[in-house]
Amino acid sequence: MPQPHRPTRPARPPRPQRARRGGAPDRRRGKDRPRWGVRLAAGLAVVVLGSGAIGHAVMTGLDTGIERVDPFKDMKNRPQAGHGLNFLLVGTDGRDKITPADKREYRLGGAPCHCTDTVMLVHLSADRERASVVSLPRDSYAELPEHRDESSGKQHGPHPVKLNAAYAEGGPQLTVRTVESMTRVKIDHYLEVDFASFMKTVDAMGGVEICTAKALHDQNTGLDLLPGSHRLSGGQALQYVRSRHVDGAADLGRMQRQQRFVAALIKQATGGGVLLNPVKFKEVSSTLLGSVRADRGFGSEQMLALGQALRDFTPSSSEFASVPIGNPSYAVKGIGSTVKWDEPKASKLFEALRLDRPLAPAAPGRQPASRPQRRPAVPVDVPPGQIRVQVENGTRIDGLGGRVDTALRATGFDTTRSPGNGASRDVKRTVIAYDPRWDRSARTVSTALPGSELRAVAGQGRTVLVIAGADYRKVVPVRPEDPHQGQFGVVTGDQVICGT
């Protein structure tokens, strides 16, 4: 017995023209312990890449506001190009453009570091039907190649560091060199965002809806969310993706929340009319591009071509993973504790990217992409199969108890299959009566019955009682919060967004 719970495929875009730089080999010109930007960067990229749905008229001139960097200058001995397109997306903790009021409200005090708070790879498949997002822990053990320090000008030989120090010592170029050396994945484009661009872009999109099965509280960031669905503003979203002190899961928990956020951002961008509304698209794109830094080969032409290919992109088209970890506390003299990758597993992960293979396993019972998809189930804290439910009919509607029992059982609850009649037959609002010791189970049932009333009954025991009221309309599908992930801990976007 469980213990009590405590209180149609789009056409491919034209291949970008190749150009030679400084005698280097031809390169395509088309475009953790993860922190706040890990998953936001992927979502922001989708907004940029989805621009082809609008057309050249709207896009003209949008790329003139991008601050340019040259992360590929004079690079030699680079990995061989694979199939598809690879972006290196980095998030910095730059906060100099944030107002004092926002800094106070969202607890963004302190001086920013000249380093990356996020490092991640985004792979777009050659057929443009899939995006694979792999986060690289910022504290990953890395060995920097020989380089000149960007700040001091001092020449350095190869030496070990944490991955985020690559940016501090050599900027975007050294970051690209280091990531390519560690992954053997050739980077085609580089994008960099900061706190301010994230907040403004989310606000320009009208906020992003996320859902949580648990209450989330973090005194460090000010995050304070009750279980359920919430539409977050830019500042609130920043709190959500930065928080790591909400439970014992620390960075793992934050990583899962960031996955959910980016999936929700993709859903908002592709399904919320952003890409099909010229005015909204230009507003969002201008906001983002006004503060993004990108390589010189990333511009309107590349955005349009990719956007055309991604016009049918959905959350189920995206998959999220993190590099497999071998030792989360690998001590290095002079550096401290670093994150050591599981090299055999990491090699398989990056090989899959190079070969343009999906990372996500075929989930049990998952429908092929070509078939109509059921609406996503809402994530809950307790698996419904662990919750015993007795249903009673609190109305004079014949058969209502049986219908509720059947619907709850269909989404996974362990119902008694013996619905009865309640003491009262005039119940207007569905009631969920529960023993306080099983409050998490009760909240899971409540998620499946939106609008119901939770009523604590001391001594009731582990069985949750549902008294169906006249307001009953349907049972919302639910699923455990952590879905099937496979060997790389992969989740797809449709597994982590809110149900509708």
Side-chain angles (χ1 to χ4, degrees), residues 7 28 33 42-43 62 119 165 167 169 171 198 236 239 246 258 299 315 373 384 398 402 414 435-437 459 478:
R28 280 178 285 186
R33 186 173 72 212
L62 276 185
V119 182
Y167 188 94
E169 291 193 26
F198 170 61
Q236 293 169 327
Q239 291 175 314
V246 298
Q258 290 163 343
Q373 299 281 326
D398 290 341
D414 179 22
D435 190 307
R437 294 177 297 168
V478 297

Short mmCIF file of all heavy atoms in Angstrom, two decimals, residues 7 28 33 42-43 62 119 165 167 169 171 198 236 239 246 258 299 315 373 384 398 402 414 435-437 459 478:
data_model
loop_
_atom_site.label_atom_id
_atom_site.label_comp_id
_atom_site.label_asym_id
_atom_site.label_seq_id
_atom_site.Cartn_x
_atom_site.Cartn_y
_atom_site.Cartn_z
N PRO A 7 1.69 16.42 4.35
CA PRO A 7 1.12 17.68 3.92
C PRO A 7 2.07 18.29 2.93
O PRO A 7 3.25 18.34 3.18
CB PRO A 7 0.51 18.29 5.11
CG PRO A 7 0.43 17.28 6.20
CD PRO A 7 1.29 16.14 5.71
N ARG A 28 28.73 26.72 -44.47
CA ARG A 28 27.36 27.13 -44.83
C ARG A 28 27.00 28.46 -44.23
O ARG A 28 27.31 28.74 -43.09
CB ARG A 28 26.36 26.07 -44.35
CG ARG A 28 26.28 24.89 -45.28
CD ARG A 28 25.33 23.86 -44.76
NE ARG A 28 25.90 23.14 -43.65
CZ ARG A 28 25.31 22.10 -43.10
NH1 ARG A 28 24.15 21.70 -43.52
NH2 ARG A 28 25.88 21.47 -42.08
N ARG A 33 25.35 22.67 -16.91
CA ARG A 33 24.21 22.70 -16.04
C ARG A 33 23.42 23.87 -16.52
O ARG A 33 23.77 24.99 -16.26
CB ARG A 33 24.63 22.88 -14.59
CG ARG A 33 23.47 22.77 -13.67
CD ARG A 33 23.98 22.78 -12.26
NE ARG A 33 24.42 24.11 -11.90
CZ ARG A 33 25.41 24.37 -11.07
NH1 ARG A 33 26.07 23.37 -10.54
NH2 ARG A 33 25.74 25.58 -10.77
N ALA A 42 16.10 28.18 -27.12
CA ALA A 42 15.50 27.38 -28.18
C ALA A 42 14.17 27.97 -28.61
O ALA A 42 13.85 28.06 -29.79
CB ALA A 42 15.31 25.94 -27.71
N GLY A 43 13.35 28.36 -27.63
CA GLY A 43 12.06 28.94 -27.96
C GLY A 43 12.20 30.24 -28.71
O GLY A 43 11.47 30.51 -29.67
N LEU A 62 14.72 43.74 -40.90
CA LEU A 62 14.68 43.32 -39.51
C LEU A 62 16.05 42.91 -38.98
O LEU A 62 16.34 43.06 -37.80
CB LEU A 62 13.70 42.14 -39.33
CG LEU A 62 12.23 42.49 -39.17
CD1 LEU A 62 11.43 41.23 -38.90
CD2 LEU A 62 12.01 43.49 -38.05
N VAL A 119 24.59 27.16 -22.20
CA VAL A 119 25.20 26.72 -23.46
C VAL A 119 24.38 25.55 -23.96
O VAL A 119 24.17 24.59 -23.23
CB VAL A 119 26.67 26.28 -23.27
CG1 VAL A 119 27.28 25.90 -24.61
CG2 VAL A 119 27.48 27.38 -22.61
N ALA A 165 33.58 29.31 -18.73
CA ALA A 165 34.75 30.18 -18.73
C ALA A 165 35.30 30.40 -20.13
O ALA A 165 36.08 31.33 -20.36
CB ALA A 165 35.84 29.60 -17.84
N TYR A 167 33.75 31.53 -22.67
CA TYR A 167 33.26 32.84 -23.12
C TYR A 167 34.02 33.96 -22.43
O TYR A 167 34.38 34.97 -23.04
CB TYR A 167 31.76 32.95 -22.83
CG TYR A 167 31.10 34.17 -23.42
CD1 TYR A 167 30.48 34.11 -24.66
CD2 TYR A 167 31.06 35.38 -22.72
CE1 TYR A 167 29.86 35.22 -25.20
CE2 TYR A 167 30.44 36.50 -23.25
CZ TYR A 167 29.84 36.41 -24.50
OH TYR A 167 29.23 37.51 -25.04
N GLU A 169 37.06 33.97 -21.35
CA GLU A 169 38.44 34.07 -21.81
C GLU A 169 38.57 34.39 -23.29
O GLU A 169 39.54 35.03 -23.70
CB GLU A 169 39.18 32.75 -21.52
CG GLU A 169 39.40 32.49 -20.04
CD GLU A 169 40.40 31.37 -19.80
OE1 GLU A 169 41.28 31.14 -20.68
OE2 GLU A 169 40.32 30.73 -18.74
N GLY A 171 35.44 34.81 -25.61
CA GLY A 171 34.22 35.23 -26.27
C GLY A 171 33.56 34.14 -27.10
O GLY A 171 33.81 32.94 -26.91
N PHE A 198 15.07 38.28 -23.27
CA PHE A 198 14.11 37.24 -22.91
C PHE A 198 12.82 37.85 -22.38
O PHE A 198 11.72 37.53 -22.83
CB PHE A 198 14.74 36.33 -21.87
CG PHE A 198 13.77 35.35 -21.25
CD1 PHE A 198 13.13 34.42 -22.02
CD2 PHE A 198 13.51 35.39 -19.89
CE1 PHE A 198 12.24 33.52 -21.46
CE2 PHE A 198 12.63 34.50 -19.31
CZ PHE A 198 11.99 33.56 -20.10
N GLN A 236 8.02 37.21 -14.81
CA GLN A 236 7.63 35.99 -14.11
C GLN A 236 8.24 34.76 -14.77
O GLN A 236 8.67 33.82 -14.10
CB GLN A 236 6.10 35.87 -14.10
CG GLN A 236 5.41 36.93 -13.28
CD GLN A 236 3.91 36.94 -13.51
OE1 GLN A 236 3.42 36.66 -14.61
NE2 GLN A 236 3.16 37.28 -12.46
N GLN A 239 11.75 34.37 -13.66
CA GLN A 239 11.81 33.73 -12.34
C GLN A 239 11.64 32.22 -12.47
O GLN A 239 12.35 31.44 -11.82
CB GLN A 239 10.69 34.29 -11.44
CG GLN A 239 10.87 35.74 -11.02
CD GLN A 239 9.67 36.24 -10.25
OE1 GLN A 239 8.52 36.03 -10.65
NE2 GLN A 239 9.91 36.89 -9.12
N VAL A 246 13.50 25.22 -5.41
CA VAL A 246 12.10 24.92 -5.15
C VAL A 246 11.91 23.53 -4.57
O VAL A 246 10.87 23.21 -3.99
CB VAL A 246 11.24 25.08 -6.41
CG1 VAL A 246 11.28 26.50 -6.92
CG2 VAL A 246 11.71 24.12 -7.51
N GLN A 258 12.71 24.21 -17.43
CA GLN A 258 13.12 24.93 -18.62
C GLN A 258 12.65 24.21 -19.88
O GLN A 258 12.26 24.85 -20.86
CB GLN A 258 14.64 25.11 -18.62
CG GLN A 258 15.12 26.07 -17.55
CD GLN A 258 16.60 25.96 -17.25
OE1 GLN A 258 17.25 24.98 -17.60
NE2 GLN A 258 17.15 26.97 -16.60
N GLY A 299 20.81 35.95 -41.26
CA GLY A 299 20.05 37.15 -41.59
C GLY A 299 18.67 36.82 -42.14
O GLY A 299 18.17 35.70 -42.00
N PRO A 315 4.87 21.61 -30.97
CA PRO A 315 5.64 21.12 -29.83
C PRO A 315 6.10 19.67 -29.98
O PRO A 315 7.17 19.30 -29.54
CB PRO A 315 4.67 21.28 -28.66
CG PRO A 315 3.83 22.46 -29.05
CD PRO A 315 3.64 22.31 -30.54
N GLN A 373 -3.27 13.72 -33.42
CA GLN A 373 -2.79 13.56 -32.05
C GLN A 373 -3.91 13.91 -31.05
O GLN A 373 -4.66 14.87 -31.26
CB GLN A 373 -1.59 14.49 -31.81
CG GLN A 373 -0.41 14.19 -32.70
CD GLN A 373 0.38 13.00 -32.20
OE1 GLN A 373 0.48 12.77 -31.00
NE2 GLN A 373 0.95 12.24 -33.12
N PRO A 384 -1.83 8.60 -11.64
CA PRO A 384 -3.24 8.28 -11.35
C PRO A 384 -3.45 6.82 -11.00
O PRO A 384 -4.37 6.48 -10.25
CB PRO A 384 -3.97 8.67 -12.64
CG PRO A 384 -2.91 8.78 -13.68
CD PRO A 384 -1.66 9.18 -12.98
N ASP A 398 -29.49 10.46 -14.16
CA ASP A 398 -29.29 9.01 -14.21
C ASP A 398 -27.96 8.66 -14.87
O ASP A 398 -27.63 9.18 -15.95
CB ASP A 398 -30.44 8.34 -14.98
CG ASP A 398 -31.76 8.38 -14.22
OD1 ASP A 398 -31.72 8.59 -12.99
OD2 ASP A 398 -32.82 8.24 -14.87
N GLY A 402 -21.68 6.53 -13.04
CA GLY A 402 -21.02 5.56 -13.91
C GLY A 402 -20.17 6.21 -14.97
O GLY A 402 -19.07 5.74 -15.29
N ASP A 414 -7.39 4.39 -10.43
CA ASP A 414 -7.82 3.09 -9.93
C ASP A 414 -9.20 3.25 -9.27
O ASP A 414 -9.31 3.34 -8.05
CB ASP A 414 -6.79 2.57 -8.92
CG ASP A 414 -7.17 1.22 -8.31
OD1 ASP A 414 -7.97 0.50 -8.94
OD2 ASP A 414 -6.68 0.92 -7.21
N ASP A 435 -8.61 12.46 2.65
CA ASP A 435 -7.88 12.49 3.91
C ASP A 435 -6.68 13.42 3.73
O ASP A 435 -5.95 13.29 2.73
CB ASP A 435 -7.40 11.07 4.24
CG ASP A 435 -6.84 10.96 5.65
OD1 ASP A 435 -5.95 11.77 6.00
OD2 ASP A 435 -7.27 10.06 6.38
N PRO A 436 -6.43 14.35 4.64
CA PRO A 436 -5.31 15.29 4.50
C PRO A 436 -3.96 14.61 4.29
O PRO A 436 -3.05 15.19 3.71
CB PRO A 436 -5.34 16.09 5.80
CG PRO A 436 -6.76 16.03 6.25
CD PRO A 436 -7.24 14.67 5.84
N ARG A 437 -3.84 13.35 4.76
CA ARG A 437 -2.58 12.65 4.56
C ARG A 437 -2.33 12.31 3.10
O ARG A 437 -1.20 12.04 2.70
CB ARG A 437 -2.56 11.36 5.40
CG ARG A 437 -2.57 11.58 6.91
CD ARG A 437 -2.64 10.25 7.63
NE ARG A 437 -3.88 9.53 7.33
CZ ARG A 437 -4.08 8.25 7.64
NH1 ARG A 437 -3.13 7.54 8.26
NH2 ARG A 437 -5.24 7.67 7.35
N GLY A 459 -9.32 11.29 8.68
CA GLY A 459 -9.63 9.90 8.95
C GLY A 459 -10.31 9.17 7.83
O GLY A 459 -10.71 8.01 7.99
N VAL A 478 -4.79 13.13 -17.63
CA VAL A 478 -3.61 13.49 -16.84
C VAL A 478 -2.56 12.40 -16.99
O VAL A 478 -2.85 11.29 -17.44
CB VAL A 478 -3.96 13.66 -15.34
CG1 VAL A 478 -4.94 14.80 -15.14
CG2 VAL A 478 -4.51 12.37 -14.75
#
